[in-house]
Structures are given as C-alpha cells and as structure tokens.
C-alpha cells in the first residue's frame, strides 16, 4: 500500500543533517528533500546523506536537479553529461559520426541510453527522482533555458525527450518534465524577476504545449513555470487552477505536480511563504518546494501541519524508487553503462573545449554558465 506523503519539499544546508534539520524533516507536512550542489561532494557522501534523511523518515522523497550540461548538482564521481541541446543535435543528425547507416535511430538510442544512465546513477546515490527532462522549446535564446532544451521545434523535443524518458523508466526512475506550459519563449529569468509571456494561448497550444501534451502520460511528474501567460490566466502557471486543470483534464496527466521553488522572485509577488504554498496547493500542485530559506520553510510547515490529512498525497509517494538500488561499482561492470559513459563524457569534454576556445564575450548567458565552476541561479540557487 502506498504511504501518503506530506506536501512540502524542503532543502538542507550541508553535507550532513544538523539537529534542527532532523526535527524539520520529521514534521508531518514534509514529504521530500531536494539536494543542491552544496549537499553533493561525492557519490558516497550523497548516499550517506540520503540514508541519514531516511533514518528520520524512511518514506521521504529525495530529489535532485541532475539534468546534464550546466545543471548538475553532483559533478564528481558520476558521468559528466553534455547539455541536452548537444545530445539532441547528435541524436537527430543523420550523418552523426559512428552511428552507422541509420544515424537518427541510433541517435535516439543514445538519448534513451543517456536517460537510463542518469536514472541508474541517481538511484545509486540514494535519490528517488531527478527533476528532468526539460521539455521547454528554446525559441528565444532564454537565459534560463537555452542549451538545457532538446531543441527549437516541438518535434525535436518530443522525439529526443521521449527517448530520454524511456531510458529513465528503464532505470526504474520516473521522469519529471518541466517547465509547463513552456519557459523557452522568453529571455527573462523567473529566479530574478516577475515574468510575462505575451503570446496567445493559440500560439502556445500550437508550439510550446505540444511536448507536454504528447508526453504527459509517460511522465511521473511535472513542474510548472512561474511565468504568467495573460492570454489564458493572469496568475503564474504554478498558481493557476486553469493551467493545471488543462494538464490533467485535457492532456490526461495523472502524476504528481511539483511547484517550482516558491522563493523565486517571480513567485514572491504572490504573497508571503505560507500564502504562496497554499495558493500552489489549492491550484493543484501536489508538492510545494520551499528552498534556500529555512524561516520560510518553517512558516509554511506551521501553516500546514495542523491540516495534515488534507495536504498529504499518494501521487508524489508513487515516485519513490521501488527497485533494489544499483551501485556505482556495479554499473561499471555493465557494458551498456561503459559504452554510454564514454560517449557522453566525450561529448561533454568536446562541448567544454569548444566553449573555452570561443573569444571572450561571444557566449550567451546560458552557454557561459555551463562552465564547471559557474554558480548561476539555475545551477545552485533554486529548484528550477
């Protein structure tokens, strides 16, 4: 029987739990923990932290943002993944070197292998889910999306994103698509400001919404954007019963909906921490993320703990990793892992070399922040 989980996902400060964090994670409304770069020194340390979290509550959902490219919380001891744009370009290139006569079919096989490898590695370090893949379509050189996207057309995102999802599922891990209904059409960053996408609902339906519509039934989770699309609703998508209702009623999505970090600037305009959390949950989110602000997390939990039964759900609980977890040492013994690891590491190294060779100032913000020592908002500051 699935054990319902609380509706708040919080973070922790370091590589181990402090005493007050143990008390926080034991509160009834807490259902999960999201790990950031500050929590990830090595696979062994993350696995131990995961065990420590589960010693407080064995049912908690442990999540991480490990997409590839510039969004990888754990960088040491696991495969260095290229950006999803680089992966997709290889997957869809008919003359891709080393892919043989049917290059595109082989390329989509690589996307599936990449999803499988990511799922297996994250399961091995104790995580239940990674917030991936990005299903946004990069149409505006967005500073926050950019090379995190699989491509500039719905067809490319559906093809490569679908193969990546299949690979995650092969590894026993649910995919969480983001950022519904599509964040790639604007250049502004919701971490930093209130963001409005002026396009019509018809434009969104014919473009950005297509990957979510096509892949909804294969996703275990969805994360909406803190973007306002005023032609459809004056509220940000993650606070909108209309947007979340469309996802469930028309697209048939039956999984868990995770708010993006409620501490982001685009969300703060909606009220105080407790108000934001209730707005997100009342709109249809199953789990509200409160990150990088312990005081805000406690305020949210204070407002929800007394209403525990209302704010507990089985949708998020179904995303817990249910198989025997692999080990990283065991993965090295698998030919599929060795082959995929070598290919992806080579692609990531090539991407880094190409960017390092470019003249200073020629990279966009999205591409520049891919560098290993970058600490952009998308890398270490919030859930998105």
């Amino acid at each position: 029987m699935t054990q319902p989980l609380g509706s708040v996902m919080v973070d922790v400060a370091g590589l181990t739990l402090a005493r007050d964090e143990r008390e926080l994670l034991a509160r009834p409304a807490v259902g999960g923990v999201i790990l950031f770069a500050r929590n990830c020194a090595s696979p062994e340390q993350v696995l131990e932290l995961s065990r420590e979290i589960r010693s407080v509550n064995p049912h908690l959902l442990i999540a991480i943002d490990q997409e590839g490219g510039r969004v990888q919380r754990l960088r040491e001891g696991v495969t260095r993944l290229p950006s999803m744009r680089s992966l997709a370009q290889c997957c869809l290139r008919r003359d891709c070197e080393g892919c043989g006569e049917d290059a595109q079919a082989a390329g989509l096989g690589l996307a599936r292998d990449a999803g499988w490898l990511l799922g297996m590695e994250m399961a091995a370090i104790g995580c239940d889910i990674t917030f991936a893949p990005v299903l946004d379509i990069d149409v505006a050189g967005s500073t926050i999306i950019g090379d995190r996207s699989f491509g500039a057309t719905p067809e490319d995102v559906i093809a490569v994103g679908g193969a990546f999802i299949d690979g995650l599922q092969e590894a026993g891990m649910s995919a969480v698509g983001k950022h519904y209904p599509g964040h790639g059409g604007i250049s502004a960053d919701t971490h930093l400001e209130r963001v409005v996408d002026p396009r019509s609902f018809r434009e969104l339906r014919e473009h950005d919404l297509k990957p979510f519509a096509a892949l909804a039934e294969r996703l275990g989770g969805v994360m909406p954007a803190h973007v306002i699309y005023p032609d459809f609703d004056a509220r940000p998508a993650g606070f909108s019963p209309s947007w979340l209702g469309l996802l469930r009623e028309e697209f048939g999505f039956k999984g868990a909906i995770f708010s993006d970090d409620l501490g982001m600037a685009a969300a703060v305009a909606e009220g105080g921490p407790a108000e934001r959390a209730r707005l997100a949950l009342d709109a249809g989110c199953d789990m509200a993320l409160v990150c990088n602000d312990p005081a805000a997390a406690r305020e949210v939990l204070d407002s929800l703990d007394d209403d525990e039964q209302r704010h507990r759900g089985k949708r998020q609980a179904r995303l817990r990793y249910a198989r025997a977890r692999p080990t990283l040492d065991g993965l090295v013994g698998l030919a599929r892992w060795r082959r995929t690891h070598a290919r992806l590491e080579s692609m990531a190294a090539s991407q880094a070399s190409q960017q390092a060779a470019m003249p200073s100032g020629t990279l966009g913000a999205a591409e520049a922040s891919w560098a290993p020592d970058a600490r952009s908002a998308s890398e270490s500051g919030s859930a998105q």
Side-chain angles (χ1 to χ4, degrees):
M1 183 175 178
T2 302
Q3 173 75 34
L5 287 178
S7 57
V8 182
M9 179 170 279
V10 298
D11 59 345
V12 295
L15 302 178
T16 60
L17 295 182
R19 178 179 297 179
D20 63 332
E21 289 172 338
R22 284 179 166 273
E23 296 170 356
L24 187 79
L25 298 187
R27 296 186 62 164
V30 174
V33 179
I34 180 171
L35 304 180
F36 290 103
R38 63 176 180 267
N39 308 121
C40 301
S42 69
E44 296 78 15
Q45 171 271 318
V46 177
L47 180 58
E48 186 56 36
L49 176 59
S50 299
R51 289 170 175 160
E52 193 178 4
I53 290 168
R54 291 196 173 96
S55 73
V56 177
N57 182 343
H59 302 295
L60 290 179
L61 190 71
I62 300 179
I64 191 169
D65 272 327
Q66 190 87 352
E67 299 172 10
R70 57 196 161 97
V71 181
Q72 295 191 62
R73 306 310 191 193
L74 177 60
R75 296 178 178 272
E76 302 299 325
V78 293
T79 302
R80 178 66 170 164
L81 303 171
S83 71
M84 293 300 99
R85 181 166 66 192
S86 294
L87 178 67
Q89 287 172 344
C90 179
C91 291
L92 299 172
R93 191 183 306 148
R94 297 188 182 279
D95 61 348
C96 181
E97 182 179 353
C99 287
E101 293 182 3
D102 193 353
Q104 189 165 353
L108 291 177
L110 175 61
R112 185 171 184 142
D113 286 344
W116 171 83
L117 176 143
L118 176 60
M120 294 292 276
E121 290 189 347
M122 294 304 97
I125 64 171
C127 293
D128 296 296
I129 55 172
T130 177
F131 285 121
V134 167
L135 297 177
D136 304 289
I137 302 168
D138 182 31
V139 294
S142 170
T143 57
I144 194 60
I145 302 302
D147 64 356
R148 296 166 67 191
S149 169
F150 289 112
T153 70
E155 294 74 21
D156 287 356
V157 173
I158 292 168
V160 187
F164 192 89
I165 289 167
D166 289 344
L168 276 170
Q169 292 175 339
E170 274 192 84
M173 186 165 286
S174 295
V176 181
K178 55 189 185 184
H179 306 84
Y180 172 81
H183 199 319
I186 48 175
S187 59
D189 184 350
T190 48
H191 292 91
L192 307 175
E193 59 186 306
R194 184 174 180 270
V195 174
V196 176
D197 187 330
R199 290 177 295 168
S200 70
F201 178 68
R202 180 178 178 179
E203 289 178 274
L204 293 168
R205 181 183 285 281
E206 294 176 351
H207 199 261
D208 294 56
L209 277 165
K210 282 187 172 181
F212 295 97
L215 300 171
E217 294 184 2
R218 294 156 66 182
L219 293 169
V222 164
M223 178 178 283
H226 286 320
V227 176
I228 298 169
Y229 307 84
D231 189 57
F232 188 72
D233 195 330
R235 294 162 289 193
F239 297 110
S240 167
S242 300
W243 276 118
L244 303 188
L246 179 75
L247 177 65
R248 292 209 183 277
E249 294 164 20
E250 183 171 335
F251 298 165
F253 176 67
K254 294 180 171 58
I257 300 177
F258 296 86
S259 82
D260 207 340
D261 178 11
L262 295 178
M264 292 163 58
V268 168
E270 303 303 310
E275 183 178 2
R276 277 174 257 149
R278 285 194 175 270
L279 285 171
L281 295 172
D282 288 346
C285 289
D286 297 285
M287 188 164 270
L289 274 69
V290 186
C291 309
N292 303 301
D293 190 340
R298 292 182 184 281
E299 179 181 333
V300 169
L301 295 175
D302 287 343
S303 75
L304 296 178
D305 274 348
D306 291 339
D307 200 8
E308 174 189 351
Q309 292 306 313
R310 180 186 174 198
H311 294 290
R312 293 179 72 82
K314 291 187 177 181
R315 290 193 186 108
Q316 58 266 41
R318 293 190 186 104
L319 302 187
R320 288 191 297 249
Y321 194 79
R323 297 184 187 175
R325 291 185 183 274
T327 65
L328 291 179
D329 287 344
L331 289 178
V332 174
L334 300 178
R336 183 181 185 183
W337 182 89
R338 294 195 303 272
R339 179 182 67 250
T340 307
H341 170 81
R343 186 79 182 276
L344 296 176
E345 285 272 354
S346 176
M347 291 174 64
S350 176
Q351 182 183 2
S353 296
Q354 290 172 8
Q355 292 180 348
M358 294 179 71
S360 177
T362 61
L363 293 180
E367 288 76 12
S369 65
W370 184 87
D373 59 350
R375 287 294 178 264
S376 67
S378 65
E379 248 187 322
S380 59
S382 82
Q384 190 185 68

